[in-house]
Amino acid sequence: MHFVVKVFPEITIKSPPVRKRFIKQLRDNLRLLLANIGVVIDVQRDWEKIEIRSPGADAQVTAQVADVLARTPGIANFVLIHEYPLGDLESIFQHTLRHWREPLAGKTFCVRIRRVGQHSFSSVEAEKYVGGGLLQHSDAKGVVLQKPEITVSLEIKGERLWVVASKTQGLGGYPLGAQDPVLSLISGGFDSTVSTYLCIKRGLRAHYCFFNLGGRAHEIGVKEVAYYLWNKYGASHRVKFVTVPFEEVLKEILEKVDNAYMGVVLKRMMLRAAEKVAESLEIPALVTGESVAQVASQTLINLNVIDRAIDTVVLRPLVTMDKGDIIDLSRKIGTESFAASMPEYCGVISVNPTIKAKLPRVVHEEGKFDMAILERAIDERRAQNIDEIVDELDADLSVPLVGEVIAGQVVIDIRHPDEQEANPLALEGVEVRVIPFYSLNNQFPQLDSSVQYFLYCQKGVMSQLHAANLKDAGHLNVGVYRPEPRSACAIS
């Protein structure tokens, strides 16, 4: 097995010291990532490329190495080559035919040769000889010099011949670790996962900060997608996953802050907490998945007001991307299935959110907020290495889900009071109790444990998360009431 790795073009235009440092970082990353495959793999670098060799590697090992290369930041493309002593033109043709006879069947092709050194033939002469031989001795459709279906690439260096068997596009970007680390505020949805990926691709070691609003079930879901991103694209560097308990912060906002300003204030509280987490980890920047005008809190005016809560720089990789493009990219990188089942937390949304927040008004609203609650949430944060959380991802948090309830069972409406008042829930012959979601953890243990309770919210997402959280706390008499039709955002 022999791979030749070409680095991202932006690396090659750096100053010599920076270029050398970046290529060395990429080599070190690859050595670490390939060390667990189980065979001896040699990884060496020079001024323009990295070469990976393992003479005894079989097809399975070769495929494993190719998979690692395809998802490692810093690589423009890589080729699998077969190396031979040069010989004459007939020898070059025979070696090429061995690898290209079958792939050329029914295809148009051309031969391209890159030659370095003194030889008795020119590159054009070698291309004509090999191309004519392949056309005669294969089932190729024909030779086409402009836009062929297949390009057969050969490299001749001195007395060695390289037959390129395949060429694969890499991620591009910079090697992970070539830049300073960042703290990504991840919720598990499309936006935050894609923004995190784009940072990793740019060489930024992304640590994760999760604000827990929905209990342990939500936390596990976000950890699952964070672990996936790290394991697939950033496993050359260990990172932290930090959970900040934010339910009490949310409760304080919902009870004391004007409805129109809840979203802006919540974002400012999150940034304040994230800044403290970043400072403790010596991280100079935060990352969010916000995109201009995607939701009310993301207008330029509101983003300006939100950023004024802290001094740390906030990076927004998705700031001008359309939602459809974000979803397409999530599909490409493999996070779509995670994000599709991850809730947008429906209890946080204001009924009439402001799109032009005034800083003095925000400061006034925050004056009602007990900052000791925020400080307590920051102090109670839990940080762990992301490679140590995988054992938690298999926890069984499933809960009963019903479309109908019967007499003797109780439905608990956990929606925000504004939603409850605007659209009261009434079920014939069934008791409905009103307990806002932010009070549920405190009030549920006081209920009759012999009664079966089913939680209800508008979208059917928050209710499932809270039911799973209660079950995890030992309450087995809880389920979810979700009348048909099921919400498109609901967890399957």
Side-chain angles (χ1 to χ4, degrees):
M1 179 197 71
H2 185 183
F3 283 101
V4 176
V5 177
K6 299 297 179 66
V7 300
F8 185 53
E10 286 186 26
I11 297 175
T12 64
I13 63 175
K14 299 292 184 184
S15 66
V18 174
R19 178 175 178 173
K20 181 179 180 180
R21 176 169 62 86
F22 278 27
I23 295 178
K24 180 180 182 296
Q25 181 70 65
L26 179 56
R27 180 206 63 186
D28 293 345
N29 291 352
L30 289 173
R31 283 179 173 175
L32 182 63
L33 293 169
L34 297 173
N36 296 325
I37 288 183
V39 299
V40 176
I41 299 176
D42 183 49
V43 182
Q44 298 296 333
R45 67 177 173 91
D46 61 24
W47 184 241
E48 63 178 7
K49 66 181 182 303
I50 292 174
E51 293 190 48
I52 300 172
R53 288 184 171 90
S54 182
D58 58 17
Q60 181 179 0
V61 170
T62 301
Q64 287 179 289
V65 173
D67 177 62
V68 171
L69 297 178
R71 51 188 174 84
T72 298
I75 295 175
N77 60 72
F78 58 93
V79 295
L80 175 63
I81 66 172
H82 300 284
E83 186 174 353
Y84 302 100
L86 181 59
D88 57 15
L89 290 177
E90 178 63 20
S91 175
I92 295 172
F93 159 65
Q94 291 294 340
H95 289 312
T96 307
L97 180 65
R98 181 180 307 151
H99 299 289
W100 282 102
R101 184 199 302 267
E102 293 183 6
L104 290 179
K107 305 290 186 180
T108 60
F109 76 98
C110 73
V111 177
R112 292 287 181 258
I113 296 179
R114 181 183 178 189
R115 186 176 59 87
V116 177
Q118 298 296 320
H119 305 96
S120 61
F121 52 83
S122 68
S123 297
V124 173
E125 290 172 337
E127 288 173 353
K128 290 181 177 179
Y129 190 97
V130 174
L134 291 175
L135 183 61
Q136 182 179 356
H137 295 280
S138 73
D139 294 325
K141 186 177 181 180
V143 174
V144 176
L145 299 182
Q146 298 295 327
K147 297 183 179 179
E149 294 177 85
I150 293 177
T151 298
V152 177
S153 298
L154 307 176
E155 293 194 21
I156 297 173
K157 296 190 175 185
E159 295 304 311
R160 306 299 296 176
L161 168 68
W162 286 0
V163 179
V164 177
S166 64
K167 182 177 181 179
T168 305
Q169 197 69 24
L171 287 183
Y174 293 145
L176 200 61
Q179 306 296 321
D180 292 319
V182 295
L183 183 67
S184 177
L185 280 60
I186 188 166
S187 65
F190 293 104
D191 301 337
S192 63
T193 53
V194 172
S195 64
T196 303
Y197 161 78
L198 291 175
C199 288
I200 294 173
K201 178 183 175 182
R202 199 63 181 172
L204 301 166
R205 181 157 56 110
H207 299 262
Y208 300 87
C209 183
F210 168 62
F211 294 98
N212 195 344
L213 305 174
R216 186 166 179 263
H218 192 190
E219 179 181 353
I220 288 177
V222 176
K223 282 182 175 179
E224 186 173 22
V225 69
Y227 180 85
Y228 169 86
L229 282 168
W230 169 80
N231 187 54
K232 188 168 181 103
Y233 302 108
S236 59
H237 290 71
R238 174 172 280 185
V239 300
K240 296 285 188 182
F241 187 99
V242 181
T243 300
V244 183
F246 238 55
E247 288 176 305
E248 291 300 314
V249 173
L250 177 60
K251 178 181 178 181
E252 183 78 354
I253 291 173
L254 292 173
E255 291 180 344
K256 295 184 179 179
V257 174
D258 182 88
N259 185 282
Y261 279 80
M262 291 192 303
V264 170
V265 171
L266 177 63
K267 291 290 184 70
R268 283 168 59 92
M269 295 300 173
M270 286 179 171
L271 288 191
R272 289 186 176 106
E275 183 177 56
K276 293 295 185 181
V277 173
E279 288 174 354
S280 70
L281 297 174
E282 299 183 345
I283 295 174
L286 307 179
V287 175
T288 76
E290 292 161 315
S291 176
V292 169
Q294 188 178 115
V295 296
S297 65
Q298 295 173 18
T299 62
L300 285 179
I301 292 175
N302 284 356
L303 289 174
N304 181 285
V305 170
I306 290 168
D307 282 0
R308 289 171 180 263
I310 62 172
D311 295 324
T312 303
V313 63
V314 180
L315 305 179
R316 294 182 171 93
L318 311 184
V319 68
T320 61
M321 289 183 66
D322 297 332
K323 188 68 173 184
D325 294 333
I326 295 170
I327 294 174
D328 288 344
L329 185 51
S330 75
R331 185 178 303 118
K332 179 180 177 181
I333 66 177
T335 60
E336 181 189 27
S337 59
F338 295 98
S341 62
M342 201 71 63
E344 295 290 341
Y345 204 74
C346 45
V348 184
I349 301 173
S350 301
V351 175
N352 295 300
T354 180
I355 59 173
K356 294 184 177 181
K358 305 294 185 182
L359 185 59
R361 176 64 184 278
V362 173
V363 173
H364 171 75
E365 293 298 326
E366 289 183 344
K368 309 172 187 177
F369 186 95
D370 183 357
M371 285 296 179
I373 294 176
L374 178 64
E375 292 299 325
R376 184 161 60 248
I378 296 171
D379 291 341
E380 293 176 356
R381 70 185 183 274
R382 186 163 65 99
Q384 57 190 146
N385 293 324
I386 199 165
D387 54 324
E388 296 173 352
I389 69 174
V390 67
D391 292 339
E392 299 181 31
L393 302 182
D394 295 327
D396 179 15
L397 296 176
S398 59
V399 294
L401 188 152
V402 300
E404 296 181 357
V405 289
I406 60 177
Q409 298 175 336
V410 176
V411 172
I412 300 178
D413 187 346
I414 68 169
R415 293 175 296 167
H416 186 272
D418 289 347
E419 291 182 87
Q420 295 167 351
E421 182 177 350
N423 187 21
L425 177 66
L427 300 174
E428 185 176 352
V430 175
E431 179 184 356
V432 176
R433 296 191 184 185
V434 174
I435 303 178
F437 64 91
Y438 50 79
S439 300
L440 190 62
N441 285 343
N442 291 330
Q443 294 190 31
F444 193 88
Q446 303 172 21
L447 301 178
D448 186 349
S449 60
S450 65
V451 175
Q452 180 71 38
Y453 298 94
F454 292 95
L455 308 187
Y456 170 80
C457 71
Q458 187 67 36
K459 294 183 178 181
V461 173
M462 190 165 56
S463 54
Q464 187 167 345
L465 292 172
H466 279 281
N469 189 44
L470 289 170
K471 179 187 174 184
D472 187 53
H475 302 288
L476 303 182
N477 60 327
V478 62
V480 172
Y481 169 57
R482 185 158 60 204
E484 298 294 341
R486 291 179 58 179
S487 168
C489 75
I491 298 175
S492 58

